[in-house]
């Protein structure tokens, strides 16, 4: 694929959420959410209506006219999630989305992902070191040194899945430590 | 791998930053050094009168120029320090001692400054010589104006380099004082957003720019003409609305209020947001660029006006050679003039001579009272003025003049515009100073001539032949003058002939005629009778070598080519200064815009990365960058040129409520200069765009 085609794929088929939010500081929350459709040159009324719905859906409606510098980390990340979903991507790629957040904001972002999955049918592909965040996933691939170590699929409750995850992590981290 | 090797490698990798700062220092020292070498050189210093206005003005303008140079160099150093801050922060984070880093920075800074300054001073010598030769080619070409080198110019140039080094040292000190590693490492700048800008501010700003200029220029004139009083200097404060207007317009451009067209708004959203994020500094920066461009055009327009005052002009109804002197004087004869012309290979055309009378005039004029008011007064038998009979006018000028008995025509220069002081129809009576015979006269119109009006104050008058005979009957030689006028075939090539004739004229003149231009024998006699001191008494030092007597000596020969060359000599320094200020302000504006453009790219690298990840293709990102950069160049460029043009247009109109042919021509030239300035900006824009694309794409 050439650069043009890659850009189109990034814009139409993929959604990105980054650890450091990557919001444009000169744009308001609402304008940031609109950005993917602005790049795609989509019709304005539909774009504004969709962005407005996302603001309400992710609980950021009251801060829609604020700038990134004026909102919290959780609100920034929810804005980033809303922005990532604007073009209804096939996959939402999230790179350590909770890495910079406190527990309350972390929960809010996870809720936003769940909502995206539930209401928009989005597939969320998340890279994380946070087992709490990973426990909300349906399927977790555990990597070790760039190789797949194991794969887990959630069957029971989230808590049970988290225990299962922690067990794997214990296995991972425990090796070679017995002597210490 | 040693520390010095690492640093050398870093320098090699980032030589562009070093080169940029070195170039700015070099350019500053070169400009000031070359100027100082010229201005403080023996040629100009010997030429300019001690303590004269030209010296004061030149030093003032040079000071302003030095400030401009220092500002643009310091501005360029900001970019250098911005680049250094990252390198500095990484070294600090890795545990390097701050003292070592400071030493390293100051060592680099001082070697850069010293080498660039020395290079600037060295190149200043040939550059000043070259510019002088250029001026010689177009303006001055006499023996007194040969280029000579003086030590004072060097010292001034070196002094400036020293001050610049100190200023850069202070900038460096301020930079190293920042100890916060995180602050140093942070590449993203602080938000400088402005609050929502009300929509009325844009039209208000557009109106305020010309309004301020018109008020500041017009109120002093209106005050004189309508109220008869000089306006206080506080009216200069009206320029403030113009500057505020420029700021408001730029703030609107930078702050980008929401557009009604939603599609357009979203299209420009990213580009607008980038600028809005640094709105305060962007507006301030653009405002300074606008003012610099304004100063640049103003200097150019000033230089054009000076240059014009030294040109021969259109020579409409003007003879190349004209003389007037008291009738009893033994000046050069017609034969001597023709012999001299033959010797120099000059062909004399239309030679004419005749006599005219100095009659006592009663006239209406304007007086300036002690309380600052302008009042109209009728002055009876106040002074003398030169009167020509109709036939004399015809003989001297070769043109007809219709003057009935009891009337007069006032001789004015071509394109003359009446001022507040003198009125062409002010004369109402003339009298014979010896016999007292007087006659009431009525104004019937004006006659145009380029030479005669310079022979008498307030004017030269033409009256009916019979009236002239009646009024001059019994007049003594003391009150009559001889007038000689002629042309030559090649005026431009007649300078050697004119100089010799000039010397001959002075050698033949008696010392008592070396009086000031405004000297009036009648006035002096009245003052003596009243026991008062006469302001214009005293004799001038008139020598054949002194060709600076125009507007000084009452009987100075009006040899246009000598006059033009002399004016060119005295104005050449002004023209030079104006051109220098033009170059320096333009260079400062260019460097500031360049630095701003590069900063836009380097400060927003992450934004462009975000856009890429959000699916913006290269052409979209290029477009965002281009529209961002275009704004930085276009708006200040257009606004600065427009403000300069409006100012010159308003100034020319308000001066005498009309546009003369020369003003229109200069305005056209200024328009062409504006286009060239904008093209120059476009060239820098292209360069910045290329460099910025390398940074962000």
């Amino acid at each position: 694929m050439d650069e043009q085609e890659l850009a189109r794929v990034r814009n139409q088929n993929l959604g990105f959420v980054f650890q450091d939010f990557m919001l444009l500081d000169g744009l308001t929350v609402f304008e940031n959410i609109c950005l993917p459709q602005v790049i795609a040159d989509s019709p304005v009324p539909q774009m504004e209506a969709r962005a407005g719905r996302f603001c309400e859906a992710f609980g950021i409606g009251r801060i829609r006219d604020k700038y990134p510098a004026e909102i919290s980390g959780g609100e920034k990340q929810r804005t980033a999630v809303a922005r990532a979903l604007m073009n209804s991507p096939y996959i939402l790629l999230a790179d350590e989305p909770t890495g910079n957040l406190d527990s309350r904001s972390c929960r809010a972002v996870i809720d936003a992902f769940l909502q995206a999955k539930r209401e928009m049918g989005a597939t969320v592909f998340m890279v994380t070191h946070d087992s709490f965040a990973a426990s909300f996933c349906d399927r977790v691939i555990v990597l070790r040194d760039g190789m797949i170590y194991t794969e887990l699929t959630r069957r029971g409750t989230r808590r049970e899945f988290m225990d299962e995850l922690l067990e794997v992590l214990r296995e991972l981290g425990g090796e070679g430590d017995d002597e210490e | 791998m040693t520390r010095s090797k690492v640093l050398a490698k870093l320098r090699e990798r980032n030589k562009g930053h070093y080169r940029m700062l070195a170039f700015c220092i070099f350019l500053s020292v070169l400009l000031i050094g070359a100027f100082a070498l010229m201005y403080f050189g023996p040629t100009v210093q010997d030429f300019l009168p001690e303590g004269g206005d030209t010296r004061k003005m030149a030093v003032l303008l040079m000071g302003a120029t030095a400030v401009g140079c220092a500002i643009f160099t310091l501005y360029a150093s900001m970019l250098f320090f911005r680049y250094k801050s990252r390198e500095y922060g990484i070294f600090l984070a890795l545990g390097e001692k701050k003292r070592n880093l400071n030493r390293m920075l100051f060592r680099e800074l001082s070697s850069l400054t010293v080498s660039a300054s020395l290079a600037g001073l060295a190149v200043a010598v040939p550059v000043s010589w070259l510019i002088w030769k250029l001026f010689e080619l177009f303006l001055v070409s006499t023996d007194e104006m040969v280029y000579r080198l003086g030590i004072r110019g060097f010292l001034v140039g070196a002094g400036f380099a020293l001050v610049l080094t100190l200023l850069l040292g202070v900038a460096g000190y301020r930079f190293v004082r920042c100890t916060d590693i995180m602050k140093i490492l942070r590449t993203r700048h602080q938000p400088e957003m402005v609050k929502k800008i009300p929509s009325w501010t844009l039209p208000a700003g557009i109106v305020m720019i010309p309004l301020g200029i018109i008020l500041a220029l017009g109120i002093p004139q209106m005050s004189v003409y309508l109220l008869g009083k000089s306006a206080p200097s506080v009216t200069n404060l009206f320029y403030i609305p113009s500057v505020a207007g420029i700021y408001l317009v730029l703030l609107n451009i930078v702050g980008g209020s929401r557009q009604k067209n939603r599609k357009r708004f979203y299209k420009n959203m990213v580009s607008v947001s980038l600028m809005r994020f640094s709105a305060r500094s962007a507006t301030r920066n653009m405002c300074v660029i606008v003012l610099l461009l304004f100063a640049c055009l103003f200097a150019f327009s000033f230089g054009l006006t000076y240059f014009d005052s030294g040109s021969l002009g259109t020579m409409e109804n003007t003879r190349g050679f004209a003389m007037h002197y008291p009738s009893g004087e033994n000046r050069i004869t017609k034969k001597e003039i023709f012999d001299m012309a033959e010797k120099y290979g000059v062909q004399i055309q239309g030679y004419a001579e005749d006599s005219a009378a100095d009659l006592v005039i009663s006239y209406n004029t304007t007086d300036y009272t002690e309380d600052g008011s302008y009042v109209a007064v009728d002055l009876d038998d106040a002074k003398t003025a030169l009167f020509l009979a109709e036939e004399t006018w015809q003989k001297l000028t070769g043109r007809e003049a219709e003057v009935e008995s009891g009337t007069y025509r006032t001789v004015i220069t071509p394109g003359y515009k009446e001022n507040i002081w003198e009125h062409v129809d002010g004369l109402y009576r003339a009298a014979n100073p010896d016999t007292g015979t007087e006659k009431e006269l009525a104004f019937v119109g004006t006659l145009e001539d380029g030479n005669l009006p310079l022979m008498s104050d307030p004017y030269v008058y033409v009256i009916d032949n019979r009236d002239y005979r009646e009024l001059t009957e019994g007049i003594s030689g003391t009150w009559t003058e001889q007038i000689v006028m002629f042309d030559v075939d090649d005026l431009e090539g007649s300078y050697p002939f004119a100089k010799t004739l000039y010397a001959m004229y002075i050698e033949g003149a008696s010392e008592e005629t070396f009086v000031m231009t405004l000297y009036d024998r009648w006035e002096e006699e009245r003052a003596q009778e009243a026991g008062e001191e006469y302001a214009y008494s005293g004799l001038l030092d008139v020598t054949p070598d002194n060709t600076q007597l125009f507007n000084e000596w009452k009987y100075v020969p009006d040899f246009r080519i000598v006059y033009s060359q002399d004016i060119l000599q005295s104005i050449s320094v002004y023209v030079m200064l104006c051109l220098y200020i033009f170059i320096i302000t333009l260079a400062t504006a260019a460097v500031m815009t360049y630095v701003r453009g590069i900063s836009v790219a380097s400060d927003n690298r992450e934004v462009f990365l975000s856009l890429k990840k959000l699916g913006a293709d290269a052409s979209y990102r290029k477009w965002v960058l281009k529209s961002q950069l275009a704004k930085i160049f276009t708006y200040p460029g257009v606004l600065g040129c427009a403000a300069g043009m409006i100012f010159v247009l308003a100034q020319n109109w308000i001066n005498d409520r009309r546009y003369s042919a020369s003003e229109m021509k200069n305005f056209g030239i200024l328009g062409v200069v504006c286009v060239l300035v904008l093209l120059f900006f476009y060239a820098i824009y292209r360069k910045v765009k290329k460099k910025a694309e390398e940074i962000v794409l």
Side-chain angles (χ1 to χ4, degrees):
Chain A
M1 279 194 285
D2 63 5
E3 153 64 26
Q4 192 86 2
E5 190 62 16
L6 279 172
R8 200 194 60 75
V9 168
R10 278 198 298 269
N11 182 254
Q12 299 294 319
N13 304 343
L14 301 175
F16 285 95
V17 179
F18 308 98
Q19 184 173 5
D20 53 357
F21 323 122
M22 287 251 189
L23 297 176
L24 267 63
D25 295 314
L27 296 181
T28 62
V29 164
F30 185 80
E31 288 162 356
N32 262 293
I33 294 171
C34 287
L35 198 54
Q37 294 217 348
V38 169
I39 292 170
D41 202 18
S42 305
V44 172
Q46 288 93 313
M47 172 183 77
E48 285 186 335
R50 189 172 167 83
R53 277 201 305 278
F54 279 4
C55 280
E56 294 311 317
F58 291 109
I60 45 179
R62 63 187 171 81
I63 52 152
R64 54 180 275 165
D65 292 327
K66 289 197 181 297
Y67 288 92
E70 301 165 337
I71 61 177
S72 71
E75 288 167 334
K76 279 182 196 168
Q77 201 58 302
R78 274 182 281 159
T79 304
V81 174
R83 182 179 68 178
L85 293 168
M86 262 306 266
N87 279 342
S88 308
Y90 297 136
I91 305 173
L92 202 151
L93 299 170
D95 181 13
E96 296 280 10
T98 56
N100 270 345
L101 303 178
D102 57 35
S103 60
R104 215 169 128 209
S105 299
C106 171
R107 181 66 214 220
V109 170
I110 289 163
D111 285 344
F113 282 144
L114 293 174
Q115 199 178 348
K117 177 195 158 198
R118 199 171 50 241
E119 292 172 17
M120 285 153 232
T123 302
V124 181
F125 192 97
M126 178 165 68
V127 178
T128 184
H129 281 87
D130 180 357
S131 47
F132 175 72
S135 69
F136 286 88
C137 296
D138 298 322
R139 189 172 155 216
V140 173
I141 297 168
V142 183
L143 298 177
R144 189 188 186 188
D145 299 333
M147 306 291 286
I148 295 175
Y149 177 72
T150 184
E151 188 181 337
L152 303 169
T153 308
R154 182 173 153 187
R155 289 192 183 83
T157 63
R158 185 195 67 80
R159 191 164 288 277
E160 286 164 0
F161 191 48
M162 186 164 167
D163 288 341
E164 205 177 331
L165 270 168
L166 289 172
E167 188 56 40
V168 173
L169 290 178
R170 244 193 309 274
E171 276 172 33
L172 266 172
E175 221 175 71
D177 285 345
D178 299 338
E179 308 295 314
E180 289 173 18
Chain B
M1 179 62 78
T2 60
R3 182 192 287 147
S4 58
K5 272 189 181 165
V6 170
L7 295 175
K9 185 154 190 188
L10 281 172
R11 266 197 302 275
E12 177 60 30
R13 293 280 298 170
N14 299 295
K15 57 186 171 202
H17 297 284
Y18 290 86
R19 213 181 284 159
M20 168 87 181
L21 183 61
F23 174 72
C24 287
I25 298 167
F26 168 78
L27 190 67
S28 287
V29 176
L30 169 65
L31 289 170
I32 294 295
F35 181 79
L37 281 171
M38 251 185 311
Y39 179 70
F40 291 104
T43 310
V44 173
Q45 289 300 305
D46 292 349
F47 174 74
L48 291 178
E50 202 64 53
D53 280 349
T54 315
R55 278 179 192 262
K56 284 180 200 153
M57 181 106 170
V59 170
L60 190 79
L61 290 177
M62 192 177 149
T65 311
V67 170
C69 279
I71 288 174
F72 93 71
T73 312
L74 281 176
Y75 201 83
S77 76
M78 280 162 60
L79 195 68
F80 178 78
F81 288 127
R82 190 175 294 174
Y83 137 71
K84 270 282 167 197
S85 70
R86 190 162 172 75
E87 193 180 291
Y88 216 74
I90 292 167
F91 272 111
L92 279 179
L94 293 173
E96 177 62 286
K97 285 192 193 103
K98 194 143 198 264
R99 210 177 43 194
N100 290 344
L101 288 172
N102 291 354
R103 207 180 300 143
M104 170 194 94
L105 180 80
F106 282 110
R107 201 181 299 141
E108 278 184 348
L109 204 59
S110 50
S111 68
L112 193 78
T113 313
V114 168
S115 52
S117 297
L118 285 176
L121 275 175
V123 180
V125 180
V127 166
S128 72
W129 179 84
L130 211 70
I131 294 175
W132 189 262
K133 284 284 151 200
L134 220 73
F135 276 111
E136 268 192 350
L137 208 65
F138 294 109
L139 297 172
V140 193
S141 54
T142 57
D143 294 341
E144 306 114 69
M145 298 303 274
V146 173
Y147 180 81
R148 282 180 290 162
L149 209 61
I151 188 76
R152 269 182 78 193
F154 262 122
L155 292 177
V156 172
F160 174 75
L162 194 71
V163 172
L164 204 61
T165 311
L166 286 175
L167 286 172
L168 287 170
V170 172
Y173 175 72
R174 283 188 61 186
F175 166 73
V176 300
R177 258 181 48 194
C178 181
T179 48
D180 184 348
I181 297 178
M182 289 315 290
K183 213 170 164 184
I184 294 173
L185 278 171
R186 266 179 72 184
T187 49
R188 288 167 76 174
H189 50 180
Q190 295 296 313
E192 299 173 356
M193 306 256 255
V194 282
K195 287 180 186 159
K196 197 171 183 299
I197 305 151
S199 57
W200 58 265
T201 51
L202 181 64
I206 293 170
V207 172
M208 278 160 78
I209 298 170
L211 193 68
I213 292 174
I214 290 166
L215 286 177
L217 289 170
I219 283 182
Q221 292 278 330
M222 271 159 46
S223 168
V224 169
Y225 281 98
L226 299 178
L227 306 173
K229 274 188 178 290
S230 298
S233 53
V234 77
T235 47
N236 285 328
L237 291 177
F238 279 109
Y239 284 118
I240 293 174
S242 286
V243 179
I246 289 170
Y247 187 81
L248 283 181
V249 170
L250 290 171
L251 195 63
N252 269 277
I253 290 163
V254 171
S257 55
R258 291 178 80 89
Q259 290 165 359
K260 282 184 184 144
N261 183 334
R262 304 299 292 154
K263 192 167 169 61
R264 216 168 134 201
F265 165 74
Y266 283 112
K267 187 173 185 293
N268 298 319
M269 189 175 76
V270 176
S271 162
V272 168
S273 84
L274 286 180
M275 203 166 244
R276 205 163 48 184
F277 186 67
S278 57
R280 281 205 197 101
S281 68
T283 310
R284 267 200 309 268
N285 182 274
M286 283 160 103
C287 214
V288 172
I289 294 167
V290 169
L291 293 177
L292 281 169
L293 284 178
F294 171 79
C296 152
L297 288 178
F298 180 66
F300 195 88
S301 149
F302 222 63
L304 275 179
T305 314
Y306 272 128
F307 188 75
D308 258 12
S309 66
S311 69
L312 280 168
T314 57
M315 296 294 285
E316 182 193 348
N317 291 339
T318 306
R319 301 294 197 96
F321 293 77
M323 302 176 262
H324 73 121
Y325 48 87
S327 286
E329 281 283 295
N330 178 25
R331 297 285 161 97
I332 31 180
T333 62
K334 181 179 177 182
K335 186 179 178 303
E336 283 173 325
I337 293 171
F338 274 81
D339 287 350
M340 193 54 66
E342 200 182 333
K343 191 178 163 194
Y344 281 94
V346 171
Q347 195 73 40
I348 289 180
Q349 294 167 340
Y351 183 92
E353 68 172 284
D354 207 346
S355 61
D358 286 315
L359 299 179
V360 180
I361 59 166
S362 301
Y363 70 119
N364 177 272
T365 186
T366 303
D367 198 12
Y368 184 63
T369 61
E370 280 179 6
D371 66 341
S373 298
Y374 294 85
V375 287
V377 285
D378 282 343
L379 300 174
D380 287 333
D381 300 331
K383 66 190 301 295
T384 59
L386 201 57
F387 280 74
L388 269 61
E390 233 179 308
E391 57 191 7
T392 305
W393 162 266
Q394 198 178 337
K395 193 174 172 188
L396 290 172
T397 65
R399 298 188 297 277
E400 294 278 342
E402 287 283 318
V403 192
E404 299 292 319
S405 176
T407 66
Y408 69 94
R409 282 186 186 271
T410 307
V411 186
I412 54 167
T413 47
Y416 174 80
K417 182 80 182 171
E418 205 175 72
N419 57 39
I420 191 168
W421 302 103
E422 309 297 356
H423 316 295
V424 289
D425 59 351
L427 174 75
Y428 53 86
R429 193 170 58 236
N432 183 315
D434 287 323
T435 64
T437 311
E438 58 179 41
K439 195 168 184 64
E440 300 289 326
L441 294 167
F443 174 77
V444 285
T446 56
L447 293 166
E448 280 194 357
D449 188 78
N451 308 102
L452 290 167
L454 308 173
M455 297 179 185
S456 172
D457 179 73
Y459 298 100
V460 168
Y461 302 99
V462 177
I463 53 174
D464 171 60
N465 290 334
R466 272 170 300 154
D467 286 354
Y468 183 82
R469 274 195 289 277
E470 194 184 312
L471 276 166
T472 55
E473 199 179 336
I475 199 165
S476 64
T478 320
W479 302 104
T480 56
E481 291 185 20
Q482 199 65 18
I483 302 174
V484 179
M485 290 163 89
F486 61 89
D487 269 322
V488 292
D489 55 342
D490 174 20
L491 187 60
E492 302 273 354
S494 66
Y495 185 70
F497 163 69
K499 278 278 277 187
T500 310
L501 206 61
Y502 184 88
M504 280 171 71
Y505 177 89
I506 290 169
E507 278 159 7
S510 54
E511 203 178 311
E512 55 269 27
T513 63
F514 295 165
V515 290
M516 285 183 237
T517 302
L518 289 176
Y519 170 81
D520 189 286
R521 189 192 302 276
W522 179 264
E523 279 183 341
E524 188 181 41
E525 285 174 7
R526 300 292 81 75
Q528 281 168 353
E529 277 170 20
E532 292 166 1
E533 199 182 328
Y534 181 56
Y536 298 109
S537 55
L539 297 175
L540 296 165
D541 179 23
V542 177
T543 59
D545 301 334
N546 189 353
T547 53
Q548 308 286 316
L549 294 162
F550 217 86
N551 292 326
E552 301 272 334
W553 182 26
K554 189 178 177 81
Y555 300 109
V556 67
D558 177 9
F559 297 167
R560 283 300 152 110
I561 189 69
V562 174
Y563 173 49
S564 154
Q565 286 290 315
D566 287 349
I567 288 205
L568 280 178
Q569 280 184 5
S570 55
I571 64 154
S572 58
V573 177
Y574 280 127
V575 175
M576 213 155 61
L577 279 165
C578 290
L579 272 179
Y580 252 79
I581 293 178
F582 169 78
I583 293 167
I584 286 161
T585 45
L586 189 63
T588 313
V591 170
M592 283 182 76
T593 321
Y594 179 87
V595 172
R596 187 84 208 168
I598 298 294
S599 305
V600 161
S602 51
D603 289 349
N604 293 302
R605 215 192 298 239
E606 282 185 31
V607 172
F608 283 92
L609 191 67
S610 299
L611 286 175
K612 186 179 180 179
K613 290 189 174 166
L614 287 170
D617 59 19
S619 64
Y620 181 86
R621 283 176 280 139
K622 259 187 192 173
W623 175 79
V624 169
L625 182 68
K626 193 179 134 191
S627 64
Q628 177 79 357
L629 293 175
K631 272 183 194 164
I632 294 170
F633 284 86
T634 314
Y635 291 111
V638 170
L639 211 56
C641 288
M645 294 289 272
I646 291 170
F647 182 85
V648 173
L649 207 62
Q651 189 190 38
N652 287 344
W653 175 259
I654 287 166
N655 271 347
D656 51 9
R657 294 174 312 288
R658 63 168 183 159
Y659 293 113
S660 67
S662 136
E663 283 168 348
M664 290 301 284
K665 181 197 76 190
N666 286 351
F667 196 69
I669 295 173
L670 202 64
V672 173
V673 170
C674 279
V675 173
L676 291 175
V677 165
L678 291 175
L679 281 174
F680 175 58
F681 260 52
Y682 179 71
I684 303 169
Y685 158 76
R686 298 280 304 175
K687 184 149 181 67
V688 169
K689 189 169 157 272
K690 202 174 156 205
K691 210 165 171 62
E693 280 176 359
E694 281 169 20
I695 295 171
V696 297
L697 298 179

